[in-house]
Amino acid sequence: MIDAQDAARFRRLGTLTIFAVYFVILVGGIVRASGAGMGCPDWPTCFGQWVPPTHESQLPPNYHEIYAARGYESTAFNPVKTWTEYTNRLVGVTIGFLIFLTAWTSRVYLKADKAIFYLALSVFLLVGFQGWLGSAVVASNLKPLMITLHMLLALFIVALLIYAIARSQKPILEAIDSHWLTPRFALVLKIAMAMTLLQVAMGTQVREAVDYIAHEHSYIDRQYWRDSFPIIFYIHRSFSSLILFTNLWLAWKIYQQADKHSLLLRTAYVLMGLIVTAILAGVSLDRLGFPAVAQPVHLLMANLIFGAQFFIFICLNYSSRKASWTS
């Protein structure tokens, strides 16, 4: 048996770590939307310093030549972009410590449920790989494919964390009453998760195109960016309607049958709120001249939507063992 205090400590720390990972995704979106990705052209230092410079006078006179291969040949030093990127790195380091502590506290499950410990350990190792991938992103001068891989790995890390924490609360999840859910609901939920992943994949293609357009416009004149959007943007935009109605159907089925205070219903409310927020952010990008604040919000919502869907899936996976599924 696991001590109740140890289980609660792991749950609290793991939950905090999940929110922290989502926060670093948001910060990463801000870095990308502001064009600050090369604010620090080297890694792990920033312009060869552990504390970034705040003024061009603190840099070598030939810093343009030193970092020419990284895009600084004709780029003026921008302290705001430099410190935005450096803050992103500091947040990432903090995440590393939190995930280490999560893995450390998960050792109490070694006898009761080894999978929880190995899941937490895998997350810790993946975060180390994510750090290396971050350095590769900088070294590649922000190649779109590298940025996309960096983001998708963050999504996978969060999914593993959610599963580890949920598995540690298995007795609570097994008590969820889901006998009223049909096989059709489970199928639609899986389809909704696949649709979200597809939408995220299309979103990465849109962001890669936007990155190129933004660079061409020197990250100004945002109201004209839409004129150069590729066809994938319009597919991505239209697909959001399918995602909205599919998840609305899921939420409605839960609302019809679930207890009004159940974890499933509360998660369904959160899921719909996230989807509506993501769509509103997307509409603002499309119709309001691509405001910088909307881009990281849109990215964060996409990650949170999949996380909420995945959590519902886990809940049903455990509760369905006691459910009498009907067609």
Side-chain angles (χ1 to χ4, degrees), residues 56-321:
E56 191 172 21
S57 61
Q58 297 173 289
L59 294 172
N62 62 335
Y63 78 92
H64 288 290
E65 300 172 9
I66 295 174
Y67 299 106
R70 306 280 177 88
Y72 259 84
E73 185 174 9
S74 58
T75 303
F77 171 72
N78 187 317
V80 174
K81 290 185 177 182
T82 293
W83 277 91
T84 300
E85 165 59 15
Y86 195 68
T87 300
N88 179 44
R89 295 183 183 185
L90 292 178
V91 173
V93 171
T94 303
I95 298 299
F97 282 115
L98 282 174
I99 289 179
F100 171 76
L101 291 174
T102 300
W104 177 254
T105 56
S106 71
R107 73 191 190 283
V108 299
Y109 288 94
L110 272 171
K111 292 184 178 180
D113 192 344
K114 291 182 179 180
I116 295 174
F117 170 76
Y118 288 119
L119 282 167
L121 180 61
S122 297
V123 169
F124 175 68
L125 296 176
L126 282 172
V127 166
F129 179 74
Q130 179 80 323
W132 171 84
L133 188 59
S135 67
V137 169
V138 175
S140 71
N141 197 14
L142 304 182
K143 286 185 177 179
L145 176 61
M146 298 296 291
I147 296 175
T148 299
L149 290 175
H150 195 55
M151 189 276 291
L152 291 177
L153 181 57
L155 188 65
F156 182 63
I157 288 172
V158 173
L160 287 183
L161 273 171
I162 291 173
Y163 180 58
I165 302 305
R167 188 181 178 105
S168 73
Q169 307 302 307
K170 185 162 55 175
I172 296 175
L173 301 184
E174 286 179 337
I176 295 175
D177 179 15
S178 64
H179 74 277
W180 43 270
L181 293 177
T182 66
R184 178 186 296 178
F185 183 93
L187 176 61
V188 174
L189 177 59
K190 293 176 183 177
I191 292 173
M193 292 170 61
M195 289 171 64
T196 300
L197 290 176
L198 177 59
Q199 182 76 329
V200 169
M202 287 193 291
T204 60
Q205 298 300 310
V206 173
R207 283 193 298 274
E208 289 172 12
V210 169
D211 286 347
Y212 176 78
I213 295 168
H215 181 73
E216 289 293 302
H217 286 265
S218 301
Y219 292 89
I220 59 175
D221 298 327
R222 290 175 173 267
Q223 66 272 22
Y224 301 116
W225 294 7
R226 189 178 183 276
D227 297 337
S228 304
F229 283 174
I231 188 64
I232 190 67
F233 168 80
Y234 300 99
I235 298 174
H236 178 71
R237 184 183 64 180
S238 300
F239 197 62
S240 64
S241 298
L242 293 176
I243 289 179
L244 172 63
F245 289 115
T246 302
N247 285 276
L248 188 60
W249 184 88
L250 293 170
W252 175 247
K253 289 298 182 181
I254 295 174
Y255 176 79
Q256 282 183 311
Q257 300 291 340
D259 181 85
K260 302 310 176 185
H261 302 288
S262 72
L263 182 60
L264 276 178
L265 184 58
R266 282 179 287 169
T267 307
Y269 284 148
V270 171
L271 175 61
M272 292 311 303
L274 293 172
I275 291 174
V276 171
T277 304
I279 291 175
L280 290 176
V283 169
S284 70
L285 291 171
D286 183 25
R287 299 298 181 181
L288 300 180
F290 220 86
V293 68
Q295 193 174 1
V297 171
H298 192 62
L299 171 64
L300 177 63
M301 291 303 106
N303 284 270
L304 286 170
I305 287 167
F306 181 78
Q309 291 172 331
F310 186 58
F311 181 70
I312 293 175
F313 176 78
I314 295 172
C315 289
L316 296 182
N317 182 58
Y318 285 121
S319 67
S320 64
R321 295 174 183 176

